[in-house]
């Protein structure tokens, strides 16, 4: 559920007509809905009810400070993968003590910063990383709290670029090696085992792989506890999918039931790392039609948002809904909606039936709140879009449109 709906034929974000935002700040512009963000956060956390848990929002999905602040104010924690994300969390007023740090390539510097900040735990992804974290802990005269991220070797049945829990994936340590690694860590003075972690992939649309992976990991959690490792946190990662087109992902309630069933009897404090499920449908990308162009093969609609602004369609052939900001009647024609970037992959929508778009017309690219702006680049020297946060009838710019001068900041001719 989201708060982007038509009122009298005009698409609104909550009570704000999207055309008013486009008029004031131009396009392309990301627009987020406060009501949708806070609702998703509440629904996911309520689904886990009384079971002790912490929602660590996955910052990579959308790292705007205003979005982070909303979740911090809601009592949320954070899942980060870099020193940059840690800095954002702190800048937004998030608590390091509710922050977990994953990623296969943490540098010793990043470890040191995170340890000094007092994060909840490091999710360690290899034996060598474990040794490095120990060294950093000892150097700082402390024990670094860690969980091992294990790879449960479960097929998440999602796009191969965003599946992370397969044997062939670079993430986590092989399931079979975990016991030996915890035993090794027990001998190291710079480490303190506090949890166990897994994450099998993103945009999961069925509960079965979640059940399989978490049951397996819960079993490991129990036997590690029996072996005397004082684990308290079971981090089950993120991955809950959303509806972009026709997908029917598990509801937060069904997801929670599946997870809680799988972890029954572990007594573990659960850590969840949802990204997309919280922010995906809470954002749209506003774009304007520049030109139509008919070739013998196709009808192209060229818009002012390109793959540098939203890379998901180009990178994953992902589907995003397209809605005209002003509803129009008419017969639908099949068009390819493309951006201005000099790449044939810069296609927002292929063979999409739309009432023939008009020059200057505004469209909302739907479900663009996750992995939209956070993956945007300045390719083709295109300044990145502005970001706007709507709250009821009010709205404000939460990131200014990048300026052309920003493009060469730090460069020397
Ligand atoms: N935890 C870990 C360890 C992760 O690697 C990820 C996502 C998450 C949590 C959050 O997953 P979510 O709840 O958002 O599915 N750029 C891709 C998605 C990449 C996901 C990477 N890891 C996309 O646009 O679909």
């Amino acid at each position: 559920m989201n708060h982007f709906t038509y009122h009298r034929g005009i698409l609104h974000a909550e009570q704000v007509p999207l055309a008013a935002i486009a008029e004031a700040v131009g396009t392309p512009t990301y627009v987020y809905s406060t009501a949708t963000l806070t609702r998703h956060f509440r629904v996911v956390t309520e689904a886990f009810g009384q079971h002790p848990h912490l929602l660590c929002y996955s910052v990579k999905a959308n790292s705007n400070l205003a979005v982070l602040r909303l979740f911090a104010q809601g009592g949320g924690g954070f899942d980060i993968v870099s020193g940059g994300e840690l800095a954002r969390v702190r800048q937004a007023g998030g608590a390091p003590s509710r922050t977990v740090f994953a990623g296969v390539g943490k540098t010793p510097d990043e470890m040191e910063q995170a340890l000094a900040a007092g994060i909840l735990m490091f999710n360690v992804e290899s034996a060598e990383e474990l040794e490095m974290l120990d060294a950093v802990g000892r150097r700082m005269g402390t024990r670094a709290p860690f969980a091992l991220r294990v790879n449960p070797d479960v097929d998440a049945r999602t796009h191969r670029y965003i599946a992370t829990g397969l044997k062939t994936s670079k993430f986590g340590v092989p399931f079979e090696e975990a016991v030996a690694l915890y035993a090794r860590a027990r001998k190291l003075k710079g480490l303190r085992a506090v949890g166990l972690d897994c994450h099998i992939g993103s945009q999961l649309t069925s509960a079965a792989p979640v059940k399989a992976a978490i049951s397996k990991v819960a079993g490991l959690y129990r036997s590690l506890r029996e072996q005397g490792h004082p684990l308290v946190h079971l981090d089950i990662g993120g991955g809950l999918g959303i509806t972009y087109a026709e997908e029917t992902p598990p509801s937060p309630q069904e997801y929670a039931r599946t997870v809680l069933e799988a972890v029954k009897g572990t007594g573990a404090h659960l850590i969840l790392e949802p990204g997309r499920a919280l922010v995906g449908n809470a954002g749209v990308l506003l774009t304007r039609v520049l030109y139509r162009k008919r070739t013998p093969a196709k009808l192209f609609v060229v818009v002012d948002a390109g793959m540098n602004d939203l890379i998901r369609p180009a990178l994953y052939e992902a589907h995003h809904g397209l809605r005209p900001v002003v509803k129009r009647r008419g017969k639908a024609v099949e068009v390819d909606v493309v951006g201005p970037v000099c790449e044939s992959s810069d296609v927002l929508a292929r063979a999409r039936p739309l009432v023939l778009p008009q020059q200057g017309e505004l469209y909302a690219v739907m479900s663009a709140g996750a992995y939209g702006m956070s993956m945007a680049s300045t390719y083709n020297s295109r300044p990145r879009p502005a970001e706007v946060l709507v709250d009821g009838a009010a709205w404000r710019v939460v990131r200014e449109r990048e300026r052309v001068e920003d493009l060469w900041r730090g460069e020397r001719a």
Side-chain angles (χ1 to χ4, degrees):
M1 143 132 208
N2 62 62
H3 292 77
F4 296 94
T5 46
Y6 286 100
H7 300 293
R8 297 202 195 90
I10 311 278
L11 191 58
H12 283 60
E14 304 188 24
Q15 290 147 48
V16 180
L18 288 174
I21 295 174
E23 211 52 59
V25 297
T27 52
T29 291
Y30 280 98
V31 181
Y32 311 126
S33 150
T34 302
T36 313
L37 292 166
T38 49
R39 178 176 192 279
H40 288 173
F41 184 88
R42 187 166 41 77
V43 167
V44 175
T45 194
E46 283 176 6
F48 284 84
Q50 295 306 310
H51 192 100
H53 69 277
L54 177 63
L55 230 67
C56 288
Y57 165 64
S58 196
V59 173
K60 64 178 87 66
N62 185 325
S63 50
N64 186 285
L65 295 180
V67 172
L68 301 184
R69 163 117 353 138
L70 273 182
F71 294 143
Q73 284 170 343
F78 298 93
D79 155 46
I80 59 166
V81 290
S82 69
E85 287 191 347
L86 175 61
R88 278 186 173 276
V89 165
R90 303 182 80 178
Q91 186 68 22
S97 62
R98 288 201 288 272
T99 298
V100 297
F101 191 174
V104 297
K106 304 174 196 78
T107 65
D109 271 356
E110 288 175 317
M111 290 174 176
E112 205 172 308
Q113 286 159 25
L115 198 50
I119 65 161
L120 181 58
M121 67 182 188
F122 292 86
N123 289 338
V124 170
E125 308 226 15
S126 67
E128 291 196 356
E129 186 196 334
L130 193 65
E131 302 289 332
M132 181 62 81
L133 185 60
D134 169 57
V136 171
R138 278 185 289 119
R139 193 163 64 230
M140 295 178 67
T142 183
R143 287 178 177 267
F146 81 95
L148 274 187
R149 175 170 176 182
V150 292
N151 181 337
D153 190 26
V154 164
D155 183 355
R157 293 181 226 156
T158 183
H159 191 285
R160 66 193 167 89
Y161 284 9
I162 53 179
T164 51
L166 284 172
K167 256 200 182 99
T168 49
S169 135
K170 72 173 177 178
F171 296 100
V173 300
F175 194 82
E176 301 69 29
E177 290 172 23
V179 167
L181 284 171
Y182 277 98
R184 162 81 186 140
R186 183 141 51 178
K187 301 200 188 93
L188 302 175
K189 296 263 183 309
L191 294 176
R192 181 161 58 90
V194 296
L196 178 64
D197 170 47
C198 77
H199 169 80
I200 57 169
S202 198
Q203 183 56 9
L204 308 175
T205 52
S206 88
V210 175
K211 183 174 175 186
I214 297 177
S215 305
K216 204 169 162 183
V217 174
L220 177 59
Y221 182 90
R222 277 189 213 95
S223 58
L224 288 165
R225 293 262 314 173
E226 279 159 24
Q227 289 157 37
H229 297 287
L231 309 186
V232 282
H233 308 292
L234 182 52
D235 183 337
I236 60 162
L240 180 57
I242 64 168
T243 303
Y244 285 99
E246 308 285 294
E247 307 92 328
T248 50
S251 66
Q253 293 75 15
E254 185 188 350
Y255 176 74
R257 264 199 307 280
T258 307
V259 170
L260 292 178
E261 182 63 34
V263 303
K264 218 186 219 148
T266 56
H269 171 253
L270 282 182
I271 293 178
L272 319 165
E273 302 174 351
R276 190 188 321 261
L278 300 189
V279 296
N281 284 326
V284 301
L285 174 59
L286 275 181
T287 184
R288 212 181 265 286
V289 175
L290 293 171
Y291 308 110
R292 288 94 47 93
K293 155 165 160 173
R294 201 178 282 280
T295 70
K298 286 191 178 209
L299 178 54
F300 290 102
V301 174
V302 185
V303 297
D304 66 1
M307 64 188 284
N308 70 296
D309 305 305
L310 176 66
I311 202 176
R312 301 194 69 259
L315 191 56
Y316 316 116
E317 296 186 332
H319 176 100
H320 284 265
L322 278 173
R323 292 200 205 158
V325 166
V326 180
K327 226 182 212 171
R328 283 191 306 118
R329 285 182 212 289
K331 201 163 90 2
V333 288
E334 223 167 64
V335 297
D336 274 18
V337 181
V338 301
V341 171
C342 296
E343 297 271 349
S344 293
S345 59
D346 186 20
V347 178
L348 253 171
R350 230 177 264 282
R352 186 69 61 88
L354 291 177
V355 176
L356 184 64
Q358 305 295 304
Q359 242 187 324
E361 195 182 351
L362 282 171
Y363 278 82
V365 184
M366 305 306 293
S367 314
Y371 307 108
M373 186 62 174
S374 64
M375 294 180 85
S377 75
T378 58
Y379 184 43
N380 279 200
S381 286
R382 290 169 48 80
R384 284 175 293 177
E387 293 175 286
V388 162
L389 183 64
V390 170
D391 187 3
W395 63 272
R396 65 191 174 101
V397 172
V398 290
R399 182 185 163 112
E400 287 169 21
R401 183 177 308 287
E402 214 162 22
R403 292 164 313 157
V404 165
E405 307 82 76
D406 296 329
L407 293 175
W408 53 79
R409 194 154 61 90
E411 285 182 35
R412 314 258 188 289

